[in-house]
Amino acid sequence: MSARYEDLKGLKNLGQKYAYTDREVMLYAYGIGLGADPMDENELAFVNEGTFTPRPLKVVPTFASVAAWGSGPGEMNLNRVMVVDGERDITFHQPLPVAANITADSSVLEVYDKGKDKGVVISHQTVLKNEKGEKLATLVASRFARGDGGFGGPNLIQPDPHKIPSRSPDKTIDIVTRPDQALVYRLCGDRNPLHSDPEFARKAGFPRPILHGMCTYGITCRGVLQTYADYDASAFRQHVARFSSPVYPGETVTMDLWKDGNVVSFEAKVKSRGVTVIKNGKTVLG
């Protein structure tokens, strides 16, 4: 087995300490577009705690993806310009509190070496725990390093993705993104200049900065939240999505949704460019 594979596979970082408040919770909700209509009471519950009639602030389930921003299994020494998100799979063990001190335990699950000039996919896990040591959420991420690979890793095949139903969608919704949305979302932690610096974006092969894949991921959570979950954040048990193409800030994301029992399947497109941006989406409600 190659030393490079063994180094990546062995990465682990336990007991990373983080804290967040309602400010970060509201910023994330606003960053994925909630609150665009300041009179929508359902959305205001995620971005405003109420004054004359107090109401508890709700936490978007996928806030888990930024609650411990910067946590990870360790330095992977990848070509940063060529790294993109491949997939996110979050399992929710209990509703996230509005404010908390948490720990994050991160480790690499597997390394899929696609060969020279084909890149490598690295799957890693982060488990978020509260101060009692109870699990809040388990995040599994895959990153596709287009500029790496071919170092002699084992010839492994990635698991098959969730299969979307063959029938017509049960629901279709449009979610509009703002031209400045990436500039807001980056304040949740991801300062990658690919999403804010036109020159950097061009060097990475894009005509202009793109929306964070994880912002699009949050938008798909929002889509399920406003349809089949009836704005009940505590109903989410799992949320999975594969990133297939970037969204540019200001575009409209069209979500197709299918419901089978407690499983909601979804895909997302940008019709104006004829591209699918999210594939093989799955939310488990309970």
Side-chain angles (χ1 to χ4, degrees):
M1 201 62 65
S2 77
R4 175 72 168 138
Y5 172 81
E6 294 290 354
D7 287 345
L8 287 169
K9 187 70 184 296
L11 288 175
K12 184 179 293 186
N13 193 357
L14 307 180
Q16 303 162 86
K17 294 183 178 181
Y18 291 87
Y20 66 84
T21 68
D22 61 352
R23 180 183 184 279
E24 287 75 31
V25 165
M26 290 186 281
L27 178 61
Y28 176 81
Y30 182 65
I32 63 170
L34 288 166
D37 179 355
M39 297 301 290
D40 186 328
E41 293 287 343
N42 287 317
E43 294 195 2
L44 277 176
F46 294 89
V47 295
N48 183 284
E49 64 276 16
T51 304
F52 287 111
T53 303
R55 62 163 177 262
L57 186 67
K58 293 184 178 182
V59 183
V60 178
T62 50
F63 171 73
S65 63
V66 300
W69 177 256
S71 62
E75 178 55 55
M76 298 183 184
N77 295 312
L78 304 172
N79 182 347
R80 184 184 179 195
V81 176
M82 301 295 284
V83 175
V84 295
D85 272 317
E87 182 177 353
R88 277 300 189 285
D89 178 347
I90 302 181
T91 298
F92 307 98
H93 304 293
Q94 57 180 293
L96 294 172
V98 173
N101 293 306
I102 60 176
T103 58
D105 295 337
S106 302
S107 59
V108 170
L109 296 175
E110 194 50 85
V111 180
Y112 302 93
D113 185 0
K114 294 181 174 293
K116 189 176 181 180
D117 301 323
K118 294 183 180 179
V120 60
V121 175
I122 302 168
S123 175
H124 58 93
Q125 172 182 279
T126 296
V127 180
L128 304 182
K129 299 177 182 178
N130 62 20
E131 290 184 287
K132 297 179 181 179
E134 300 167 334
K135 290 183 180 180
L136 294 171
T138 297
L139 294 70
V140 176
S142 69
R143 61 180 69 181
F144 179 34
R146 297 174 292 163
D148 296 87
F151 48 76
N155 185 21
L156 301 174
I157 299 175
Q158 290 178 258
D160 291 333
H162 173 66
K163 189 175 182 180
I164 297 298
S166 57
R167 68 180 186 274
S168 297
D170 298 326
K171 285 183 185 291
T172 296
I173 60 173
D174 289 331
I175 298 177
V176 179
T177 66
R178 300 186 308 273
D180 65 344
Q181 193 147 344
L183 298 178
V184 174
Y185 185 84
R186 73 192 297 263
L187 301 179
C188 295
D190 189 345
R191 299 291 187 92
N192 186 339
L194 177 60
H195 310 294
S196 59
D197 186 328
E199 181 182 12
F200 188 96
R202 286 192 295 270
K203 288 184 181 298
F206 299 99
R208 57 193 175 96
I210 62 175
L211 195 62
H212 304 69
M214 290 307 296
C215 182
T216 305
Y217 178 76
I219 287 171
T220 62
C221 176
R222 173 187 165 193
V224 177
L225 195 62
Q226 72 186 55
T227 53
Y228 292 114
D230 194 27
Y231 290 97
D232 180 4
S234 68
F236 281 69
R237 299 292 178 267
Q238 185 183 27
H239 190 71
V240 187
R242 281 194 168 195
F243 307 105
S244 57
S245 189
V247 174
Y248 290 96
E251 292 185 321
T252 297
V253 175
T254 299
M255 279 187 72
D256 292 330
L257 303 103
W258 298 259
K259 189 173 188 298
D260 296 284
N262 66 335
V263 175
V264 178
S265 304
F266 60 87
E267 289 194 335
K269 303 177 177 68
V270 173
K271 288 184 176 179
S272 61
R273 288 189 288 119
V275 296
T276 299
V277 296
I278 293 289
K279 291 183 177 180
N280 308 110
K282 179 181 76 171
T283 300
V284 179
L285 301 174

